[in-house]
Amino acid sequence: MSTPDDEATAHLLVAAAFHDAAATADERGDPMVGDFSRAVLRQFEEHQHLEGALYDVVTKYAQQHASADELAALKRWMTEVTGP
């Protein structure tokens, strides 16, 4: 079961993952990926939910940028929102 701290950590990682994806796409001159990443982030902020493989995107981002504790919090939260 995830805690409120797990949820807050997960939400920060989701925001960071898609913000970074949008910024990287903008730097590469790829507006479609940038726009998609910003749209995903807006949808997440509104509904607190991602679809399918987008959870994998956040997990990969967290594996590269987050601490072990933050990654564990993300996984607990994902298990709760997506089911086992």
Side-chain angles (χ1 to χ4, degrees):
M1 180 170 195
S2 70
T3 67
D5 285 344
D6 292 344
E7 183 176 353
T9 298
H11 286 208
L12 287 173
L13 288 169
V14 169
F18 289 104
H19 174 76
D20 283 1
T24 299
D26 290 344
E27 289 170 4
R28 286 191 326 249
D30 191 348
M32 289 181 69
V33 172
D35 290 347
F36 175 79
S37 297
R38 283 184 283 279
V40 168
L41 188 52
R42 278 192 304 275
Q43 285 284 65
F44 180 75
E45 289 170 350
E46 188 174 321
H47 301 287
Q48 307 298 301
H49 177 74
L50 295 172
E51 295 294 330
L54 295 176
Y55 286 104
D56 295 334
V57 171
V58 176
T59 299
K60 185 174 181 179
Y61 177 87
Q63 289 169 337
Q64 295 173 352
H65 300 284
S67 70
D69 288 343
E70 292 167 334
L71 183 58
L74 176 67
K75 289 182 178 185
R76 285 189 298 271
W77 175 78
M78 284 183 173
T79 297
E80 188 167 305
V81 298
T82 64

